[in-house]
Amino acid sequence: MVQHDDPNHPDAVERPQKYDWQHLPTEKGFCARLVLPFFSTKYKTDMTQHCLLKSLNTPLPPSASSADEDPAAEQLHAEESTALLGAPAAEDALWHAPDITSHFHPSTFFSVYHAHFHRAAPLLFKKLRARAYNIPEDEYAAKFTRALRPVDGLGFSGSLFFYTHDRALILKSVGRRFEYTFLYEEMLDAVASYLLAHPQKSLLSQITDVLYTFDMRLGDWLGISPGHYLVMPNVLQGLDKENGCRKWDLKPPGFFEPTRDLVPDAVKSQAAKTGLADELDEPIVLAPEERRRFLELVERDTAFLEKMGTIDYSLLLGRWPADQMPEITDGDRDWLKGVRSGDGKWVYRATLLDFLWNVDQLRPRIMRTAGKLLPEQTVTTEPSRYREAFLEMMDKYVVVPGEEGRFYEDSDDEGEESDEE
């Protein structure tokens, strides 16, 4: 990998992007070699992971030792500093989301894949890792000492994905402006407060870091190099379909989906088919008390998401044969680590994902207006309506031992109604 150290850059990190010629075929002509980096997957992934790891391995400032203090006290300190000095305290940015302000600098403007990433609210996320997620800081930092693994085929949103070397964490890009605007302006502080109030008692995805850059870059304008990434645990770590494991990405099935409902199966691409939400074809079997606890988590978490005005979120569910996870016992109730099924056959993991589609942002408002010409969709409905349908779905999908037949009867009834329509 080429080096990019440049003491003249305002962040004193790296200089403008350079092509790594060793990745390109030497028999190609000069013009071809000049253009190939735009189409070289290896060059793109190597440069992107280099920049991501550079940010994640940058030490926190000395003031990070105060990360165990109360963020409310830090906010009060910032407000007092503003009143006395006429400017906010520098450390306030370490606790809160960054301001959405684009920056121009000649050394980054023509970069295609190279980016100067920063960690958003690093002290806040350090506190979350310690108190809400129970992740040791030294173990977390060790995840980023080796190269990342690029991932294909995880979604239909156009996002880029990387695994850490042990697949324990996943880095997902956030390319839509309305999503990262909502994240920084409203969701980040709110979800952090919510998760700190309910440590290890939530199904919401445990965001462990947010990386961002607001530098104006050619790659960002072309839509090929996202400037924002979420770091999250990989709840499907170790899932192997060949060993009897399965996974589903679940959304309420009653909404209209243009790709599914208008495009004939014969002409759908495989990417389009895999990008659709799944329909569960077997019940989630839980003991009565565990079913009650699980549905209470879903109700509480979706109430928070409704309050935040978000829709189109989903439940990512993984299922393993119980003998592959003997360490998970009947008393375990952490859905990110594993919960044993009520009949003892399986171990489930689950998390709520993709909760950045806020109905008050400009693009979702436009889509809701245009969507009135079509039946109700997951991206055009109201937060309360989406939550209601989501809860109905989970109530149907989760059964106690001995009631599995109810799930299949309901599925058959819905299939007959769909055929009649």
Side-chain angles (χ1 to χ4, degrees), residues 294-341:
F294 176 73
L295 293 181
E296 284 182 353
L297 286 179
V298 175
E299 289 180 8
R300 187 176 66 198
D301 288 344
T302 55
F304 167 75
L305 296 178
E306 179 186 351
K307 179 181 177 181
M308 296 302 299
T310 64
I311 55 176
D312 201 39
Y313 46 85
S314 63
L315 183 85
L316 182 63
L317 175 70
R319 189 264 280 156
W320 287 254
D323 58 6
Q324 294 186 24
M325 292 188 176
E327 70 278 10
I328 303 299
T329 64
D330 290 337
D332 291 325
R333 296 193 173 109
D334 188 338
W335 280 88
L336 294 182
K337 295 180 179 178
V339 172
R340 188 176 286 268
S341 66

Side-chain angles (χ1 to χ4, degrees), residues 108-282:
T108 56
F109 182 74
F110 292 102
S111 291
V112 180
Y113 297 121
H114 181 262
H116 300 288
F117 288 106
H118 308 273
R119 299 171 83 164
L123 295 190
L124 179 60
F125 281 108
K126 184 177 182 181
K127 186 182 184 73
L128 281 168
R129 293 192 295 269
R131 297 193 180 183
Y133 309 154
N134 195 28
I135 300 176
E137 195 64 19
D138 56 343
E139 293 182 11
Y140 181 73
K143 303 294 185 185
F144 307 108
T145 57
R146 295 170 59 181
L148 302 175
R149 298 181 177 187
V151 188
D152 293 325
L154 282 188
F156 194 50
S157 62
S159 297
L160 300 180
F161 296 86
F162 292 89
Y163 284 136
T164 52
H165 66 91
D166 58 357
R167 296 179 178 266
L169 298 173
I170 190 167
L171 289 75
K172 175 186 178 182
S173 68
V174 181
R176 297 167 175 152
R177 181 177 177 85
F178 73 89
E179 288 187 321
Y180 67 71
T181 297
F182 172 62
L183 172 66
Y184 298 136
E185 292 184 348
E186 299 183 49
M187 179 57 90
L188 195 152
D189 288 346
V191 75
S193 298
Y194 178 81
L195 293 173
L196 286 169
H198 305 95
Q200 296 180 289
K201 294 181 180 179
S202 172
L203 294 172
L204 295 182
S205 179
Q206 294 182 349
I207 301 175
T208 58
D209 255 312
V210 173
L211 308 179
Y212 73 94
T213 178
F214 288 114
D215 289 341
M216 296 181 181
R217 298 179 301 119
L218 180 62
D220 190 20
W221 284 10
L222 294 175
I224 58 177
S225 176
H228 308 269
Y229 281 82
L230 305 178
V231 185
M232 304 171 288
N234 174 23
V235 297
L236 300 181
Q237 182 185 18
L239 187 142
D240 186 351
K241 294 182 179 179
E242 295 183 358
N243 291 328
C245 304
R246 295 193 63 185
K247 68 179 181 71
W248 297 267
D249 189 8
L250 303 174
K251 293 182 181 181
F255 290 97
F256 176 71
E257 170 52 58
T259 303
R260 179 192 65 209
D261 300 331
L262 295 182
V263 180
D265 288 339
V267 299
K268 287 178 187 173
S269 66
Q270 187 59 34
K273 293 178 182 178
T274 57
L276 296 172
D278 303 313
E279 289 192 33
L280 195 66
D281 54 4
E282 65 180 56

Side-chain angles (χ1 to χ4, degrees), residues 347-361:
V347 169
Y348 300 113
R349 289 180 183 170
T351 187
L352 284 168
L353 294 171
D354 299 334
F355 42 77
L356 296 180
W357 192 290
N358 175 256
V359 296
D360 295 323
Q361 297 296 315

